[in-house]
Amino acid sequence: MTSRRQILQSAAITGIAATLATPALATPAIKLRLLETSDIHTFDEDYDYFRDMPDETVGLTKVATLIQAARAEVKNTLLFDNGDIIQGNPLADFVALPGNFPDDRTHPTIRAMNLLGYDAATVGNHEFNYGLPFLDASLAGAKFPFCCANILHEDGTNYFKPYLILDRTVADEDGQPHKLKIGVIGFVTPQIVDWDKAHLEGRVRTTDIVDAANLYVPELRKQADLVIALSHSGIGTTPRRGGEENASFYLASVPGIDVIFTGHSHRVFPGPDYAGLENVDAVRGTLNGVPTIMPGFWGSHLGMIDLTLAPGEQGWKIVDFICTNRPIASREGAQVTSLVSDDAAVNSALAPDHNKTLAWIRQPIGTLNRPVNSFFAMIGDDASLAIVNAAQTWYARPLLANTAAAALPLLSAAAPFKEGYQSPDNYVDLQAGTIAIKNVADLYMYPNTVCAVQVNGAELREWLEHSAEVFNRIDLNNPEPQPLLNPHVPSYVFDVISGITYQIDISAPARYGVHGKFNPNARRIVNMRYQGIPVTDDQKFVVVTNNYRADSGGIVPKNHPEAVVLRAPDQTRDVIVRYILQNKVLDVAVPPVWSFAALGAPVTVTFKSAPAAAKYLLADAHISRLADNDDGYAVFALRLT
Ligand code: MN
Ligand code: MG
């Protein structure tokens, strides 16, 4: 009896051997697993330094466990990092302060990466945030090489090696060793020279990512069996103009690149974020047919490309690939489930700097000259939003210098985030006196980044009409106290725009309502003025805001991306920390921005706040404490006329 195996063997010999019996056929495939981390941002530990508590959704120490597991499953792996490693959380800020660089002359993130045995890495835009000497000192501790092809010294020579050729011995499926030359070329967003102008002007310049690839990939291709691009740049598919921040898609059209590692956008690819784009396979993970991966951010995922290489006429050829992102945690609604434990060796390597950072975030970084709270942020000007707006303006003004936007009035928008949502404890409540880094999360609880948009007077008014949606329409003929706030509209909608003054007429119906309701005849924003003079519809302004407002449509129409005049690389929270560090003693000013328009009749409105708010009422005759709710909130009454 002939076994099935024998039949297959004999078929192979008699049927196809004639055409494929080249010497190469004797060599089985090589399976090569390429691992990627990106945008770790010094989230080395699974810890949130702003909340001062462990966080299961972040940390290179968690990814380390995934790396070890991924290595144990296969014969051949290489590990790469795609940049944004030394900046992004209080640990990074602490290490960058004078005198705090570790005694072993090794940046903690680099120390952890050395332990994990990275093969190569590129730099991200944030590597430049603390200046070139700090960057150089940090990378000097690495036991693995860096490359980046599009950063040059002023004299035109390369700042980094543009590419690397790694000599590696890998095992084929039969366990036989083969020598492979693995080419690695790095790229970073050319915008670093704008974002870190203060550090880089006169020192380095950048070139277009695709231009740099066209310059170097042909010579790299000749020397390598495989060419891997480490692209610290996201995926954009709009027609190419040159100089793009997110150039990985265009990079995929450069001949000779086998695999692309991406990052910078803090997203996951393949994945639904990129569905429906032409020449992008958001399920299998290709850009223009080139296997590509982006593994989230802060250590959320380990990126993995499994290649099958077969011998071809001109060396090894990719015959199959699988792109996978392995998460460290899963999330269902508010419920987070940790999927891996952290790595003891990484933890102990990080312990000295982690512990010093914990002490630092709990220490004062500045002083407030008055209490700052959000108890009354919905009824008038308040210090918690004034600080955010002041910090945003302070940060954005120099970044906009030398741009067309610099000539325009600079305004700033901030909304109350911690405004009693879900809990009467959920308010900003900072005392006069010292403020610590961990308190800054109270002032700004979301990890948004700073953006600025150009709008005209008419658009500014519409923006504020959206804000005014938070208020119920007040009936002037009703002698009873009326609830002020629409319970269906969250407080984060309520942008307060500093730099202008305006009134809100809550006796008028809302122009915008929930579920896209629009009342074209309704107007609540009245008496909008800039420097005391009424704002005209075509007057131009720049408003500092966050990436969410700039990108989500509504404020900036989706078909007008050019209205975004600044897309800063920094989180608003980090900007506030820097603002406090710089000022030391914060003289908190609350300039007049908005108030309720006169109603022409006495009306009482009610709103909920924390019971703790009562102590700040002092002698304000217009506000009184009405009642305590069973739910932990206190009800206040505001008399308007
Ligand atoms: Mn990043
Ligand atoms: Mg980046």
Side-chain angles (χ1 to χ4, degrees):
M1 222 177 128
T2 312
S3 73
R4 176 174 157 75
R5 188 190 175 99
Q6 283 168 325
I7 289 171
L8 290 174
Q9 280 173 343
S10 80
I13 292 160
T14 58
I16 56 173
T19 49
L20 290 186
T22 60
L25 187 67
T27 307
I30 293 173
K31 298 215 166 179
L32 180 58
R33 172 171 279 183
L34 306 175
L35 304 172
E36 185 206 9
T37 55
S38 189
D39 297 273
I40 293 292
H41 282 284
T42 322
F43 281 76
D44 303 336
E45 279 288 0
D46 47 349
Y47 203 83
D48 182 333
Y49 295 100
F50 283 110
R51 286 189 299 156
D52 200 0
M53 60 192 290
D55 183 346
E56 300 279 20
T57 67
V58 301
L60 184 58
T61 182
K62 294 267 197 181
V63 184
T65 304
L66 292 179
I67 291 170
Q68 313 295 15
R71 282 173 168 161
E73 291 162 4
V74 295
K75 291 192 181 78
N76 311 301
T77 60
L78 280 93
L79 175 60
F80 301 95
D81 184 82
N82 216 42
D84 279 1
I85 48 178
I86 60 167
Q87 184 277 343
N89 72 2
L91 172 61
D93 288 336
F94 174 77
V95 172
L97 284 174
N100 287 353
F101 204 74
D103 294 337
D104 67 349
R105 309 311 300 156
T106 307
H107 190 284
T109 309
I110 299 286
R111 194 187 304 132
M113 293 172 82
N114 285 341
L115 202 62
L116 292 170
Y118 277 77
D119 290 278
T122 192
V123 289
N125 53 299
H126 283 284
E127 260 64 83
F128 300 86
N129 291 165
Y130 302 114
L132 290 168
F134 183 81
L135 170 59
D136 294 343
S138 297
L139 301 197
K143 293 179 179 158
F144 53 92
F146 282 81
C147 62
C148 184
N150 68 323
I151 305 179
L152 309 174
H153 292 283
E154 267 309 294
D155 66 5
T157 57
N158 286 88
Y159 196 90
F160 297 94
K161 284 182 183 163
Y163 59 79
L164 307 162
I165 296 166
L166 309 175
D167 288 302
R168 293 291 184 272
T169 301
V170 297
D172 67 25
E173 286 299 274
D174 282 352
Q176 294 304 307
H178 297 270
K179 285 191 181 343
L180 281 189
K181 288 193 179 297
I182 295 170
V184 184
I185 182 165
F187 305 97
V188 72
T189 49
Q191 285 73 13
I192 58 168
V193 290
D194 301 323
W195 293 334
D196 275 308
K197 188 178 261 177
H199 294 305
L200 301 185
E201 196 165 36
R203 297 184 178 91
V204 301
R205 49 200 176 85
T206 51
T207 59
D208 174 74
I209 288 175
V210 175
D211 289 352
N214 282 322
L215 184 63
Y216 290 111
V217 170
E219 63 184 74
L220 174 57
R221 180 78 264 177
K222 281 186 208 142
Q223 306 169 68
D225 294 299
L226 189 68
V227 171
I228 299 167
L230 302 181
S231 171
H232 190 87
S233 175
I235 302 166
T237 61
T238 52
R240 179 169 146 76
R241 295 186 199 171
E244 276 88 359
E245 175 183 349
N246 295 311
S248 297
F249 177 74
Y250 317 115
L251 193 59
S253 296
V254 174
I257 294 175
D258 293 311
V259 168
I260 297 177
F261 287 137
T262 62
H264 181 62
S265 301
H266 292 199
R267 295 185 185 211
V268 174
F269 182 86
D273 282 354
Y274 296 93
L277 298 174
E278 208 178 329
N279 295 321
V280 173
D281 188 333
V283 176
R284 209 177 167 213
T286 61
L287 304 178
N288 268 321
V290 177
T292 302
I293 202 146
M294 189 190 310
F297 62 106
W298 299 353
S300 63
H301 297 74
L302 175 65
M304 206 158 82
I305 300 183
D306 283 300
L307 296 177
T308 304
L309 305 175
E313 304 231 321
Q314 293 160 330
W316 295 93
K317 200 172 147 17
I318 298 174
V319 293
D320 197 13
F321 65 89
I322 302 168
C323 299
T324 323
N325 279 295
R326 287 187 178 170
I328 62 166
S330 67
R331 186 188 290 275
E332 214 169 305
Q335 187 61 43
V336 170
T337 307
S338 174
L339 301 175
V340 281
S341 55
D342 47 359
D343 184 285
V346 170
N347 288 349
S348 65
L350 293 168
D353 308 283
H354 175 62
N355 289 331
K356 285 177 193 168
T357 303
L358 289 179
W360 184 62
I361 58 157
R362 294 164 185 167
Q363 257 176 31
I365 54 163
T367 306
L368 300 173
N369 71 337
R370 51 166 285 175
V372 173
N373 58 67
S374 64
F375 296 137
F376 302 111
M378 306 306 290
I379 62 162
D381 292 323
D382 112 300
S384 70
L385 297 183
I387 287 186
V388 174
N389 276 331
Q392 288 183 166
T393 311
W394 166 84
Y395 169 79
R397 197 182 298 280
L399 286 179
L400 290 166
N402 306 322
T403 72
L408 301 177
L410 188 60
L411 315 180
S412 182
F417 295 149
K418 270 190 97 169
E419 196 55 30
Y421 178 66
Q422 284 187 331
S423 160
D425 297 326
N426 192 22
Y427 288 87
V428 180
D429 185 13
L430 303 175
Q431 313 303 312
T434 56
I435 178 170
I437 283 178
K438 57 187 240 176
N439 300 133
V440 174
D442 292 324
L443 289 168
Y444 206 98
M445 63 184 282
Y446 295 113
N448 294 336
T449 54
V450 176
C451 286
V453 297
Q454 186 178 321
V455 293
N456 63 27
E459 290 162 338
L460 195 56
R461 189 173 284 109
E462 294 303 316
W463 187 335
L464 290 170
E465 290 287 357
H466 275 287
S467 284
E469 200 188 306
V470 296
F471 300 114
N472 285 325
R473 185 183 187 182
I474 298 307
D475 180 358
L476 299 183
N477 298 314
N478 183 353
E480 298 297 317
Q482 306 171 46
L484 174 68
L485 297 165
N486 182 338
H488 302 293
V489 183
S491 66
Y492 59 71
V493 167
F494 186 59
D495 266 338
V496 169
I497 301 186
S498 70
I500 51 170
T501 57
Y502 51 93
Q503 271 81 56
I504 301 175
D505 180 2
I506 49 176
S507 69
R511 184 167 172 83
Y512 295 93
V514 284
H515 308 307
K517 219 175 79 188
F518 178 59
N519 185 346
N521 299 316
R523 289 274 180 207
R524 282 180 161 180
I525 302 302
V526 295
N527 200 20
M528 191 167 82
R529 289 168 184 262
Y530 174 68
Q531 295 187 336
I533 299 162
V535 170
T536 60
D537 279 357
D538 55 0
Q539 201 170 348
K540 289 182 179 139
F541 298 90
V542 172
V543 186
V544 192
T545 176
N546 59 51
N547 60 309
Y548 186 84
R549 286 282 191 272
D551 292 336
S552 62
I555 304 302
V556 179
K558 271 202 187 320
N559 50 349
H560 286 291
E562 74 279 2
V564 182
V565 295
L566 173 68
R567 205 173 274 284
D570 291 301
Q571 287 186 34
T572 311
R573 210 155 52 183
D574 289 338
V575 166
I576 298 168
V577 170
R578 282 189 226 168
Y579 178 71
I580 297 170
L581 279 169
Q582 158 128 354
N583 285 280
K584 291 282 187 292
V585 178
L586 220 52
D587 186 3
V588 183
V590 187
V593 175
W594 76 277
S595 56
F596 291 115
L599 296 172
V603 173
T604 298
V605 295
T606 62
F607 62 97
K608 289 200 299 186
S609 191
K615 64 179 177 285
Y616 295 109
L617 284 180
L618 301 171
D620 190 325
H622 301 287
I623 311 173
S624 58
R625 188 172 180 167
L626 207 62
D628 277 343
N629 274 9
D630 296 337
D631 55 7
Y633 294 89
V635 180
F636 292 86
L638 170 67
R639 278 191 300 286
L640 298 168
T641 50

